[in-house]
Amino acid sequence: MEAKFCMTCGSAMESRDVDGTVRRACTACSFVHWGNYSIGVGALVMKDEKILLVRRAQEPGKGRWTNPGGYIEQYELIQDTIVREVLEESGVQAKVTRLVAVRDLPRSIHNVYIAFEMAYVGGEPIPDGVEVDAAGFFSLQEMASMPVADFTRWLIDVALHSKDEGLTQDQEPIIHMEGYGLYRVPKVSV
């Protein structure tokens, strides 16, 4: 869908070259529509050598088992989003330990998906009954006979076969930047 009116001032939009790409731009103010994007997050929560999975109750992927996840809210840090999504979809409390993967999927709405490994904190898997209709912790052997989504299988492989700490939240950045969620490779002692 093409943007017809400015999200800032409500004036008509036009197509014009902006930095070498034709984009929708406001005819009255400086607003430029840079594109359509969505950012999703996913969790890999382990407990007793089993991974938390939820079964999708809606399309896309209805009936498939996936890792819990969802989309960020406009003013929500991604690490807060994934904690919320895991709790909402499965009733399980977990905390972020590291960022393990990023998926880039350019299409009409360019989707970026950020996957986190999370430490189990508490709770028993209970589906929300809306987005998911089943939830539980499963071993790799149990998953072999389940309809687990291909992308979830890939994420599990990434998390289980990582050779380093991945990106971890920078708890003590050299410069404090309020409202930022900062992730980095672990610091090396010099």
Side-chain angles (χ1 to χ4, degrees), residues 34-92:
W34 295 101
N36 294 315
Y37 304 92
S38 66
I39 302 171
V41 294
L44 296 161
V45 182
M46 292 192 70
K47 177 185 172 194
D48 302 326
E49 298 184 23
K50 293 184 175 191
I51 297 171
L52 177 63
L53 295 178
V54 295
R55 188 173 60 200
R56 301 281 309 148
Q58 303 172 346
E59 296 296 350
K62 184 176 181 179
R64 304 291 303 251
W65 289 89
T66 66
N67 53 295
Y71 291 99
I72 65 167
E73 297 293 341
Q74 186 70 40
Y75 295 101
E76 185 175 50
L77 291 169
I78 58 175
Q79 64 263 25
D80 295 338
T81 299
I82 195 55
V83 168
R84 174 182 56 77
E85 286 288 348
V86 170
L87 186 60
E88 285 176 3
E89 289 189 357
S90 71
V92 169

Side-chain angles (χ1 to χ4, degrees), residues 17-31:
D17 184 296
V18 178
D19 298 332
T21 301
V22 175
R23 302 184 187 281
R24 299 295 288 169
C26 183
T27 57
C29 74
S30 61
F31 178 79

Side-chain angles (χ1 to χ4, degrees), residues 1 5 13 20-21 32 46 50 59 98 102 112 114 122 128 131 140-141 143-144 152 158 163-164 168 179 185:
M1 179 188 303
F5 300 98
M13 300 281 280
T21 301
V32 174
M46 292 192 70
K50 293 184 175 191
E59 296 296 350
R98 65 184 178 144
V102 174
V112 175
I114 304 164
D128 69 3
E131 291 184 62
L140 291 175
Q141 184 177 10
M143 283 184 247
T152 295
V158 168
K163 292 184 180 182
D164 61 32
T168 58
V185 292

